[in-house]
Amino acid sequence: MLAVAAVTQSTDDPLSGLHVGDIDEPPVPEDWVSIDVVTCALNHHDLWSLKGVGLPGDRLPMILGCDAAGQAPDGAEVLVYPVISSPGFQGDVTNDPRRSLLSEVYPGTLAERVRVPAGNLVPKPEGLSWEQAACLPTAWLTAYRMLFTNAAVHPGDTVLVQGAGGGVATAAIQLAAAAGLRVWATSRDAAKRDLAKDLGATETFESGARLPDRVDAVMETVGAATWSHSVNSLRPGGTIVISGATSGDAPAKAELTKIFFKQLRVIGSTMGTRDELARLARFVADKGIEPQIDSVLPLAQARTGFERMAAGDVGGKIVFRV
């Protein structure tokens, strides 16, 4: 079957290990189902896998991808929930220390078919297009949990989204605006600041700029480059929710004194639950939110999408259609 896979890994030249072409179809484990993929989407996680981060070399070749929407064996239209729990784990799967994402232990979604546990399927609301549905399982689910579960923000609160333009950041802007939050966003790039305004941001600022007021919560995915700004932008008792560190995880200043003196909360956030994905899908459909899609490409042209993501030339989600 046609698939996109990591066959080798390189920190300096990750795309050298990218394979787009025919691959032998993996078997379907017991109690799992095979989904005919209609659309799938790209994440930074896929680039990190090609760099050797989170994907041991002894698991290669590995079909990449965490996001997909498609048809179940009974013809139902579904979203694929990409978090796989360890055998016998009960409770919130994001707290399972042995959990994995598709493409880490089990083959991923950038393929004509993907295999998942039967319990990992979420009905696709009729109001969502296939392209929109493919955006939700990773970046949008991450943003949803950051905002509404971990930051616990309320309509009227002010939220700062760092690094507007990435998949999680654009999702956070759209979700927060739809929920009645005042949304501020930052970016080094003027075009991405304009995009953030188009998506619902009330105000946008250059990265590191002094803000007109303190915010209730910061959605942090950039890491080292914006960490001090995030801490300094919070009101006393405010919350930083961090789900990534694309600029590195070792900021020059940890800002510990400000964190304890201002009684700030720093909360790590990873993905979300299957139930949160179902609620997210209904929220997006009911509110008429149109997930920001950078581009839609045939799966056979996946390399083009990877090249654009590696260059940082992305505003929203890159979606592949099978």
Side-chain angles (χ1 to χ4, degrees):
M1 67 175 181
L2 175 63
V4 179
V7 294
T8 62
Q9 294 169 317
S10 169
T11 302
D12 298 326
D13 185 16
L15 298 190
S16 64
L18 183 67
H19 170 82
V20 181
D22 287 333
I23 289 179
D24 291 337
E25 187 165 353
V28 181
E30 186 178 355
D31 297 327
W32 288 37
V33 292
S34 178
I35 304 302
D36 291 323
V37 177
V38 176
T39 50
C40 45
L42 186 58
N43 291 286
H44 277 99
H45 181 274
D46 303 309
L47 272 181
W48 287 112
S49 295
L50 287 165
K51 293 179 179 181
V53 178
L55 177 63
D58 60 6
R59 295 179 188 164
L60 301 181
M62 175 63 76
I63 297 174
L64 298 171
C66 305
D67 290 338
Q71 292 185 316
D74 63 359
E77 297 182 349
V78 297
L79 283 72
V80 172
Y81 175 61
V83 184
I84 310 298
S85 63
S86 58
F89 182 83
Q90 301 293 322
D92 184 339
V93 67
T94 64
N95 291 323
D96 179 359
R98 294 188 294 161
R99 72 185 182 275
S100 66
L101 286 178
L102 290 173
S103 76
E104 292 178 346
V105 176
Y106 304 100
T109 59
L110 300 186
E112 292 181 285
R113 285 172 292 281
V114 62
R115 289 132 299 280
V116 294
N120 279 50
L121 303 182
V122 170
K124 182 178 82 68
E126 291 185 3
L128 287 182
S129 71
W130 285 111
E131 288 78 11
Q132 292 168 344
C135 296
L136 302 185
T138 302
W140 277 71
L141 177 58
T142 298
Y144 182 91
R145 186 178 179 91
M146 290 175 76
L147 283 164
F148 305 123
T149 301
N150 287 325
V153 288
H154 305 285
D157 285 347
T158 302
V159 172
L160 173 65
V161 179
Q162 297 281 24
V168 174
T170 55
I173 292 167
Q174 290 187 262
L175 288 170
L181 300 166
R182 183 169 67 162
V183 187
W184 292 347
T186 69
S187 176
R188 295 173 299 175
D189 187 288
K192 291 180 179 178
R193 294 196 297 272
D194 290 342
L195 172 63
K197 276 205 168 183
D198 291 341
L199 296 178
T202 310
E203 296 289 345
T204 61
F205 306 90
E206 291 190 14
S207 297
R210 184 179 181 87
L211 304 181
D213 201 357
R214 305 290 185 183
V215 302
D216 298 290
V218 179
M219 302 298 106
E220 175 64 83
T221 61
V222 179
T226 55
W227 183 253
S228 289
H229 185 251
S230 293
V231 172
N232 290 324
S233 298
L234 279 172
R235 64 164 174 79
T239 303
I240 297 175
V241 182
I242 181 167
S243 68
T246 56
S247 67
D249 61 0
K253 294 180 65 178
E255 305 289 3
L256 297 181
T257 301
K258 292 176 182 175
I259 289 172
F260 72 70
F261 186 77
K262 294 170 65 178
Q263 299 190 92
L264 305 181
R265 296 194 308 154
V266 178
I267 299 178
S269 190
T270 298
M271 292 292 289
T273 66
R274 180 198 173 279
D275 288 345
E276 285 171 326
L277 177 58
R279 292 198 297 270
L280 164 64
R282 291 194 300 268
F283 181 69
V284 170
D286 291 346
K287 288 288 188 178
I289 303 170
E290 296 185 2
Q292 175 65 21
I293 295 175
D294 177 273
S295 54
V296 180
L297 299 168
L299 184 62
Q301 297 177 18
R303 181 174 291 274
T304 299
F306 274 80
E307 289 171 347
R308 292 194 56 215
M309 178 167 279
D313 182 25
V314 179
K317 293 292 289 183
I318 294 176
V319 176
F320 303 124
R321 192 164 184 105
V322 179

